[in-house]
Amino acid sequence: MPLVTALPEAVFAVDVEGRVTFWNPAAERLLEAKANTVLGQAFHDLDVSARIPGLRATMDRVGSQRQAVEIHDAELSGREGGVQTVSAIIAPLADDEGRPAGVAVALRDETESAGMRAQHAVLSDELRATSEMMESTHETLIVTIEELRTANEELALRVAELEAAQEADRHKNEFLAMLAHELRNPLAAIASAMRVFRHDASPVPDLQRAHEIVERQIKHQARLLDDLLDVSRITRGKVELRRSRLDLAVLVNEVVEGLRDRFDSRQVRLLVDVPSAPLPVHADPTRLTQIIGNLLSNAAKFTPAGGSVHVSLSMAGGEAILRVRDTGVGIPPDMLPRIFDLFTQVKASLARSEGGLGIGLTLVRTLVQLHGGSVSAYSAGVGEGSEFVVQLPLASVVDVSAVPAPALRALARTMLVVEDNDDAREMLRTSLELEGHRVDTAADGVSGLELALKNQPEIALIDIGLPGLDGYEVARRIRRELGQRMTLIALTGYGQLDDRRRTTQAGFDTHLVKPVDPDELARILAAVPPRAA
């Protein structure tokens, strides 16, 4: 049986009496028994027969039933320990005449295969668990994606709402700027007309009082417009300070004197306690004037005739302390915590006599805080008056050059006024001529440019919103043709920082907001050096 001998499977055979008749080399290796020790021996007496549980009984059954049997994943115990996994085929043998001749057994070592099957089973279990986890993850991802899609849609909706709100806010700011511009034009004409009336110096008291009332109301309307635009800038965080060192005591006295007529007209006594020694601060003089003016205007507005307002300035703990105390209508306790909120007003009929937008104190608080200071309000209640206290950090030294100088009378100059509003143009021309200036006028940008290039006046006051060529383009062309020979002053109803940048870039020397303050214009004209002959 040379072929069986060479098989890799362990093969052995027993006869009908159970004695071993064949034992190939693979059987010697697998079953750890030499052929010469087992041949002729009764297989059931050999220890090897017991090392595969159930092998003896199966061989007996096959011998009697004459039907082959397969055994899978049987355990084969080693002589020195250890267990191998084997499979077996047990088949009946017959002689040449077909009579039973015994049983043949073929054993295959399945240890490595069994390990692979076990590993495969483990891997299958792991793969199944991974698949289940991936399926769960996939479902979670689907839910997450859906949630993200919903969140993205909500975010897109909110972004659209925000953009719409920003667009609406932009339109609102543009409207406010345009409204201020349109309201400033008639105010400019009225202000210039009042300058003409002032030259009349009529001795009639009623006429003089009427002049004073008109001028006071012009300033009041201009202040309301400034407050309205300042609130728009504050809500957008666009307020910028132009700081310089100045004497707060001097500035307070100047603001008080500028408003004294208002207190006198209301029969409200104004008491001032300002030290003679300098109180230096590093601040924006225009904004400080606005702070002090708003507090004093409110005190005058809310104090009945016969009452008094006390303004005091002192120094303590490295701070300048400004107090404005009145004997007016007072502040109700429920209003006191909200008195600095936007559009908040004390509900008193007295307040409506002069109007107001409820934004003055909001501006005061914001501007004071921008200067690094604080403002507080106190009142014992209705009818008990009120007090506002502003605290500002002191500077180390005073730059006396920062204190506003008194207005100077300008030399007679050759001038050009370019303004499309007929009333404003003619009144400004008349008021300037009464000051001794020689004035030409133009109603649009094209004719204004022609007059400027032809006559080459020393000073040109140019409106920005002109028909034909706007004021920016007129200024650019004048600069291109004449260089710096002419002083250019922008007249406009727009006074925000961006508007001032645009006029500077166009070539203007100065930016004036309508209605023009006569004293400010006089200072500017006086500061223009005479043209060399």
Side-chain angles (χ1 to χ4, degrees):
M1 303 174 65
L3 182 59
V4 178
T5 301
L7 287 175
E9 287 83 5
V11 179
F12 65 91
V14 297
D15 58 18
V16 293
E17 294 179 355
R19 292 185 176 82
V20 179
T21 59
F22 180 80
W23 196 271
N24 73 349
E28 290 183 346
R29 293 191 296 274
L30 181 64
L31 300 176
E32 301 175 287
K34 295 295 184 180
N36 59 4
T37 62
V38 297
L39 290 175
Q41 301 293 323
F43 180 74
H44 288 6
D45 293 338
L46 299 174
D47 65 340
V48 69
S49 65
R51 285 162 49 202
I52 301 177
L55 180 58
R56 292 179 183 176
T58 303
M59 291 174 62
D60 290 344
R61 188 169 67 254
V62 169
S64 61
Q65 296 180 356
R66 314 302 294 168
Q67 187 174 356
V69 174
E70 293 186 17
I71 300 176
H72 299 283
D73 296 328
E75 292 183 351
L76 169 62
S77 301
R79 291 182 183 275
E80 297 181 0
V83 177
Q84 292 173 278
T85 301
V86 296
S87 61
I89 299 176
I90 305 168
L93 296 175
D95 58 17
D96 294 339
E97 296 180 358
R99 292 189 297 271
V103 175
V105 179
L107 299 173
R108 181 191 296 271
D109 186 353
E110 302 284 1
T111 303
E112 185 175 349
S113 297
M116 292 180 65
R117 286 196 300 274
Q119 185 177 5
H120 180 268
V122 172
L123 291 175
S124 295
D125 290 342
E126 291 179 351
L127 183 61
R128 186 179 301 107
T130 301
S131 178
E132 292 174 354
M133 182 179 66
M134 288 181 65
E135 184 176 355
S136 175
T137 302
H138 179 68
E139 293 175 354
T140 302
L141 282 175
I142 291 176
V143 173
T144 302
I145 289 172
E146 186 62 29
E147 291 175 349
L148 287 174
R149 183 180 295 110
T150 301
N152 188 56
E153 291 174 354
E154 293 177 354
L155 180 60
L157 181 60
R158 291 178 183 177
V159 168
E161 291 174 349
L162 179 60
E163 290 175 347
Q166 290 175 336
E167 183 68 11
D169 187 61
R170 185 180 66 82
H171 285 305
K172 179 202 70 177
N173 292 326
E174 290 177 353
F175 168 76
L176 289 177
M178 181 62 69
L179 174 64
H181 177 269
E182 294 303 318
L183 291 177
R184 288 184 194 277
N185 274 328
L187 285 178
I190 297 171
S192 296
M194 292 311 302
R195 292 184 64 192
V196 173
F197 292 154
R198 190 187 301 171
H199 281 274
D200 183 21
S202 171
V204 180
D206 289 343
L207 187 56
Q208 289 181 349
R209 188 161 49 252
H211 290 176
E212 293 171 357
I213 290 172
V214 173
E215 288 182 340
R216 186 164 58 249
Q217 292 304 318
I218 289 172
K219 292 180 180 179
H220 180 62
Q221 292 298 319
R223 184 176 63 82
L224 288 179
L225 288 175
D226 289 338
D227 286 354
L228 186 63
L229 293 178
D230 276 338
V231 163
S232 177
R233 285 192 284 269
I234 285 172
T235 56
R236 293 180 292 128
K238 297 293 185 179
V239 175
E240 295 184 19
L241 301 181
R242 299 180 180 181
R243 294 176 183 261
S244 62
R245 293 186 181 275
L246 55 91
D247 185 353
L248 184 58
V250 172
L251 187 63
V252 169
N253 279 325
E254 289 180 348
V255 177
V256 167
E257 289 308 311
L259 293 173
R260 189 173 291 278
D261 288 346
R262 184 173 188 181
F263 285 86
D264 292 343
S265 67
R266 298 184 62 86
Q267 299 178 26
V268 174
R269 192 166 44 143
L270 181 58
L271 306 174
V272 183
D273 182 12
V274 175
S276 57
L279 283 180
V281 293
H282 186 245
D284 184 327
T286 301
R287 294 305 187 179
L288 280 192
T289 299
Q290 194 172 5
I291 291 169
I292 301 166
N294 271 330
L295 291 178
L296 289 176
S297 295
N298 270 1
K301 180 192 300 185
F302 288 100
T303 302
S308 63
V309 174
H310 184 204
V311 182
S312 66
L313 185 63
S314 60
M315 178 178 64
E319 290 185 321
I321 302 176
L322 173 68
R323 298 178 184 273
V324 178
R325 186 174 70 252
D326 63 61
T327 60
V329 298
I331 304 172
D334 62 321
M335 290 288 296
L336 200 56
R338 300 183 291 113
I339 197 65
F340 292 103
D341 292 348
L342 189 60
F343 303 128
T344 297
Q345 293 178 301
V346 175
K347 295 180 180 179
S349 58
L350 181 65
R352 301 263 51 90
S353 63
E354 294 189 42
L357 302 174
I359 60 182
L361 290 179
T362 302
L363 289 173
V364 167
R365 178 179 61 182
T366 302
L367 295 175
V368 168
Q369 290 174 347
L370 286 174
H371 281 88
S374 62
V375 59
S376 306
Y378 305 93
S379 177
V382 177
E384 298 296 328
S386 58
E387 181 181 28
F388 289 84
V389 180
V390 174
Q391 296 174 265
L392 293 171
L394 287 170
S396 55
V397 296
V398 176
D399 181 1
V400 295
S401 65
V403 179
L408 301 176
R409 181 175 180 84
L411 300 173
R413 300 301 182 89
T414 58
M415 304 179 68
L416 170 65
V417 174
V418 186
E419 166 66 72
D420 63 326
N421 185 289
D422 295 340
D423 292 339
R425 182 179 65 253
E426 290 308 308
M427 286 298 97
L428 181 56
R429 177 188 63 78
T430 303
S431 65
L432 290 172
E433 287 179 342
L434 288 172
E435 296 288 340
H437 305 294
R438 189 168 71 253
V439 184
D440 290 323
T441 62
D444 58 73
V446 175
S447 59
L449 178 61
E450 291 175 352
L451 279 176
L453 298 180
K454 176 183 175 182
N455 299 335
Q456 298 187 21
E458 296 174 85
I459 301 167
L461 294 94
I462 304 172
D463 184 29
I464 296 300
L466 294 171
L469 295 178
D470 64 25
Y472 300 120
E473 185 60 25
V474 172
R476 281 191 287 265
R477 295 193 186 186
I478 290 175
R479 288 294 182 228
R480 189 162 57 243
E481 295 293 330
L482 303 178
Q484 300 298 319
R485 284 180 52 80
M486 190 183 306
T487 297
L488 302 182
I489 301 174
L491 295 180
T492 175
Y494 300 104
Q496 299 191 38
L497 187 59
D498 288 342
D499 302 317
R500 297 179 184 274
R501 287 198 187 101
R502 290 190 66 188
T503 54
T504 300
Q505 292 169 357
F508 284 99
D509 298 287
T510 305
H511 183 115
L512 290 181
V513 179
K514 300 176 183 178
V516 177
D517 185 296
D519 294 334
E520 183 180 7
L521 180 57
R523 282 194 296 269
I524 292 171
L525 297 180
V528 176
R531 181 183 293 174

